Amino acid sequence: MWDQILQFLFTGVTVGATYALVALGFAIIYNASDVVNFAQGEFVMMGAMCAVFLYSGSGLPLPVALLLAVALTIVLGMSFQRFAIARARGASVVSTIIITIGASIFLRGVALLLWGKDILAMPHFSGETPIQLGRATLLPQNLWVMGGTGVMVLAVHYFFHHTTLGKAVIACSCNRTAAHLVGINVGLMMLIAYGLSAFLGAMAGVLVTPITFTSYDAGVMLGLKGFSAAILGGMGNPMGAVAGGLLLGLIESMAAGLISSGYKDAIGFVVLLLVLFLRPSGLFGKASAERV
Amino acid sequence: MSIRKNITASMGALCLTLAAGLVQAGDTIKIGSFLAVTGPASFLGDPELKTLQMYVQEINAKGGVNGKQLELIHYDTSGKAKEAVNFTKRLVKKDRVDLIVGGSTSGTTMAAIPIVEKNRIPFISLAGSVKIIDPVKKWVFKVPHTDRMAAAKIFADMKKRGLTKLALISGDGGFGKSGRAQTMELAPTHGIKIVADESYGKKDTDMTAQLTKIRDTDAQAILNFGFGAGPAIVTKNVHHLGIKLPLYQSHGVASKKYIALAGVAAEGVRLPAAALLVADKLADGEKQKPVLISYKSAFEAKHGAVSTFGGHAYDGLMIAVEALKRAGSADKAKVRDEIEKTQGFIGTGGVFNITAKDHLGLGLDAFKMLEIKGGDWVVVE
């Protein structure tokens, strides 16, 4: 029994770590501009697809291909902000959200045309020999996912709380006009927020693809799960989003293992609904008053 | 009401035929198709469409059927049942096709059946579920082997290996669900006991939890019903969890893509599949061999590695073409009757003997039990 639970735990944390990275991306852009970026899942897909094609298409060594893929996705995220979001300056939050939905459909279409509709695989970073812990097993790639997520979460935390640049991004979310008045370049901060979100998405993509495969439409489900995780943790709170992601992953895996695999998604969403009933601002979110 | 509608429709058709007779150029036999060309089931719809296009072109180059050119009208459902309903209506009402060959997935096919039945259009489905033809529906036929046959073939192989306890894990799509139902229903009659019954979602990326549960049962073999990325992930997870039980997959993974995705984890996996996959390895005397080799080389010359799914499209189209030739016209009722009289047709899926009671017409021998060895299939019987 305990072996089983340990195994469910490993699975849950790995899957949850991916959700956490996607949720973190959601939270960062939401924090900076009150916008829910529905193209977040597509950043994950773009990172993964670029990596697969740079690796298998051009024969680059794996680490180089991964770095390039992440860099490309960051450029993509920034151009998305520059050419689609910034252009609609002054548009309401809802309009901007609709732009992001449009962008997600556009990116899926681009990926479909560029790379086709095949499901694609990527090699594991350090082999596929499972690590035995009792009767439970763990892949080296699971450790990569957990470790990678951990490092990035800490880095994001440090960035927002201990660097001037990070604090400037937060300032923009508190009050855009005031931030502008004290000399913060609001446009640049938005660019940074989107770049950072794209970076986190791409990292999630390249870390999990060896385990999960990828395809042009892989971003849809990840985006949805990441969004749920961000809501669960409290939308404006980056660390809450991470906790929400891990929690959602664990709930799914425990539900599949201990209750019924057929109902695992349903159980995840029921928990989400319950949380929203009892704490409408999420588990770790601060109750927000309507800004006038 | 529907009779009057039909009279009006046939009057309209008559006028059209007359008009077409005068104009000549518009005189074609319209073959409608709705396929999952994109989306999670694109590995079915993509080769199916390529096959249909390739052979329609070839038939037309040779002068067409009954002196008329074939016209292929196709739509992409992305594997969604709702789209299948829309496109089938469009094929019937707007494009006024003479017959339909399509429906990559069981879900889309089942959604389209009420429409073709109501409008009396011959429909040859390219999807797997036995529910499509059981109970028999007047206007609906299918060419791929059924999930019931796959289950029966797997049970026979298990018996040979002396295995009786089976753990089942299936996808929650139409194919997986139907396969699960057939497996459950058929198991007792073959003396097989199902000791675990797990499922996973279409887009799930990890099945470790389900397989961990299976590991702690007394199962002697695992059977996975599903297609797309799911079975490849199941195969990898089984390997990583160190589960040594024999793993059976269904004919849903009968393509090289599955082997490429699952890698070394696919070694030793067994699956029932059409002979097309092992065309080169068949004995020279086998009836199917010339058909298989000709389809395989034609497809591979243009589009890369062959899969059994494209083969289904070949079977469906050719059965339709033979029926059109025998009927001597594109009259829907006549064509339907002729499809039902198909006897001894050698296709890529096997030898078809369609009857009024069996709208598929394949025997269990149409399946070969294959094992994956060294990244390729080997026949194990």
Side-chain angles (χ1 to χ4, degrees):
Chain A
M1 189 67 192
W2 289 111
D3 292 328
Q4 275 198 11
I5 296 207
L6 191 63
Q7 187 70 56
F8 299 152
L9 199 71
F10 289 156
T11 308
V13 173
T14 310
V15 176
T18 330
Y19 295 166
L21 281 182
V22 184
L24 193 56
F26 272 113
I28 288 171
I29 290 185
Y30 181 81
N31 246 351
S33 61
D34 277 350
V35 166
V36 179
N37 169 29
F38 279 105
Q40 193 62 34
E42 271 58 43
F43 288 159
V44 181
M45 176 274 292
M46 275 293 176
M49 293 293 263
C50 286
V52 168
F53 274 85
L54 285 171
Y55 176 71
S56 61
S58 61
L60 290 168
L62 190 57
V64 180
L66 297 182
L67 284 178
L68 260 176
V70 173
L72 272 174
T73 314
I74 296 175
V75 171
L76 181 83
M78 289 181 154
S79 356
F80 166 49
Q81 199 280 332
R82 182 74 192 77
F83 298 112
I85 304 287
R87 291 276 161 141
R89 195 170 31 202
S92 68
V93 168
V94 175
S95 311
T96 320
I97 291 177
I98 293 170
I99 294 178
T100 69
I101 295 177
S104 81
I105 298 170
F106 172 73
L107 288 177
R108 264 202 305 284
V110 168
L112 175 66
L113 289 177
L114 275 182
W115 300 309
K117 50 212 161 196
D118 282 356
I119 300 161
L120 299 157
M122 194 161 83
H124 290 229
F125 295 178
S126 34
E128 291 188 47
T129 321
I131 303 159
Q132 289 280 347
L133 285 166
R135 282 193 67 211
T137 58
L138 193 62
L139 286 176
Q141 193 67 33
N142 292 39
L143 294 177
W144 273 103
V145 175
M146 296 175 202
T149 305
V151 168
M152 266 173 299
V153 168
L154 289 178
V156 166
H157 185 81
Y158 181 83
F159 175 72
F160 278 123
H161 292 274
H162 300 280
T163 66
T164 321
L165 198 61
K167 285 179 179 172
V169 175
I170 292 186
C172 293
S173 79
C174 293
N175 190 325
R176 210 180 260 242
T177 323
H180 191 69
L181 284 175
V182 296
I184 294 173
N185 184 342
V186 176
L188 183 68
M189 294 309 126
M190 291 299 130
L191 205 58
I192 288 174
Y194 275 86
L196 191 57
S197 285
F199 165 71
L200 291 170
M203 284 305 282
V206 298
L207 284 172
V208 294
T209 300
I211 305 179
T212 63
F213 307 127
T214 191
S215 61
Y216 78 95
D217 58 354
V220 181
M221 202 58 183
L222 277 172
L224 184 66
K225 291 287 173 69
F227 179 62
S228 311
I231 296 277
L232 187 63
M235 199 62 193
N237 181 343
M239 293 309 124
V242 172
L246 288 174
L247 200 61
L248 192 63
L250 279 173
I251 291 171
E252 279 189 8
S253 137
M254 292 293 170
L258 299 176
I259 304 170
S260 156
S261 45
Y263 291 112
K264 83 180 165 49
D265 285 343
I267 292 169
F269 288 126
V270 165
V271 171
L272 178 64
L273 280 178
L274 280 180
V275 169
L276 287 180
F277 264 124
L278 301 172
R279 283 187 62 97
S281 47
L283 285 178
F284 307 96
K286 276 174 250 134
S288 67
E290 185 68 30
R291 267 178 263 176
V292 184
Chain B
M1 180 66 198
S2 90
I3 294 173
R4 192 185 297 164
K5 221 186 230 170
N6 269 303
I7 293 173
T8 331
S10 23
M11 294 282 273
L14 193 67
C15 293
L16 277 180
T17 326
L18 287 176
L22 293 174
V23 184
Q24 275 297 336
D27 199 13
T28 56
I29 297 174
K30 286 184 179 172
I31 297 183
S33 191
F34 59 98
L35 300 165
V37 184
T38 58
S42 61
F43 67 99
L44 300 171
D46 186 54
E48 285 164 359
L49 178 60
K50 283 174 179 160
T51 304
L52 288 180
Q53 285 170 331
M54 198 166 84
Y55 280 92
V56 164
Q57 204 181 0
E58 190 187 304
I59 292 167
N60 283 341
K62 284 183 186 157
V65 180
N66 301 339
K68 291 178 181 178
Q69 293 279 296
L70 296 181
E71 186 186 345
L72 180 67
I73 303 169
H74 60 86
Y75 296 107
D76 176 14
T77 63
S78 339
K80 290 176 190 146
K82 212 178 103 202
E83 299 285 306
V85 171
N86 292 340
F87 288 134
T88 312
K89 279 186 184 153
R90 189 140 133 196
L91 285 171
V92 173
K93 300 255 159 73
K94 188 164 161 280
D95 303 320
R96 295 178 174 276
V97 295
D98 296 303
L99 54 97
I100 298 176
V101 178
S104 309
T105 65
S106 300
T108 52
T109 293
M110 294 307 285
I113 284 177
I115 304 164
V116 297
E117 282 287 297
K118 194 173 151 225
N119 293 284
R120 300 162 192 238
I121 309 270
F123 173 36
I124 302 180
S125 164
L126 309 178
S129 171
V130 73
K131 282 183 199 154
I132 297 165
I133 48 150
D134 180 26
V136 174
K137 293 157 196 81
K138 192 173 177 205
W139 297 86
V140 182
F141 301 85
K142 68 174 239 133
V143 281
H145 318 81
T146 65
D147 31 21
R148 184 190 285 265
M149 290 165 67
K153 192 80 185 175
I154 289 166
F155 291 157
D157 190 64
M158 282 180 63
K159 237 184 252 171
K160 250 186 251 166
R161 292 162 104 179
L163 309 170
T164 55
K165 285 174 188 155
L166 180 69
L168 182 64
I169 175 165
S170 45
D172 72 351
F175 180 77
K177 267 190 197 156
S178 170
R180 173 186 169 273
Q182 298 306 324
T183 308
M184 298 295 239
E185 201 182 308
L186 221 55
T189 58
H190 284 74
I192 303 281
K193 203 175 151 212
I194 309 282
V195 293
D197 172 24
E198 298 291 331
S199 73
Y200 56 85
K202 216 184 290 182
K203 297 235 165 179
D204 279 5
T205 52
D206 192 298
M207 288 65 157
T208 317
Q210 291 92 318
L211 290 164
T212 306
K213 251 169 117 180
I214 287 177
R215 184 174 60 181
D216 291 350
T217 62
D218 57 350
Q220 293 167 324
I222 304 174
L223 167 59
N224 178 204
F225 250 106
F227 63 71
I233 296 176
V234 168
T235 310
K236 279 200 145 187
N237 289 164
V238 166
H239 186 69
H240 293 148
L241 284 171
I243 299 174
K244 300 280 180 244
L245 301 174
L247 175 62
Y248 286 96
Q249 289 285 354
S250 69
H251 50 309
V253 301
S255 71
K256 280 270 161 154
K257 227 176 260 173
Y258 164 72
I259 300 181
L261 287 177
V264 283
E267 291 295 301
V269 170
R270 287 191 178 188
L271 66 147
L276 180 60
L277 294 184
V278 285
D280 312 332
K281 296 174 190 117
L282 289 182
D284 279 331
E286 292 219 25
K287 262 197 268 180
Q288 260 189 293
K289 193 166 183 179
V291 175
L292 295 175
I293 298 282
S294 114
Y295 171 70
K296 190 175 178 222
S297 44
F299 189 89
E300 289 187 345
K302 265 189 154 173
H303 304 297
V306 78
S307 75
T308 52
F309 314 120
H312 297 322
Y314 170 88
D315 294 352
L317 180 66
M318 290 307 174
I319 287 177
V321 166
E322 296 289 319
L324 281 167
K325 279 185 191 159
R326 287 198 301 269
S329 76
D331 180 79
K332 296 185 181 69
K334 267 193 210 161
V335 172
R336 190 214 78 93
D337 292 346
E338 287 303 331
I339 295 176
E340 201 166 69
K341 285 181 201 150
T342 300
Q343 285 295 317
F345 171 81
I346 302 172
T348 63
V351 181
F352 290 84
N353 294 302
I354 301 177
T355 64
K357 279 189 185 143
D358 181 6
H359 275 191
L360 164 63
L362 285 176
L364 210 53
D365 55 335
F367 261 142
K368 304 261 180 236
M369 182 54 76
L370 306 182
E371 185 171 318
I372 296 168
K373 262 188 194 150
D376 202 0
W377 299 285
V378 191
V379 186
V380 285
E381 45 192 356

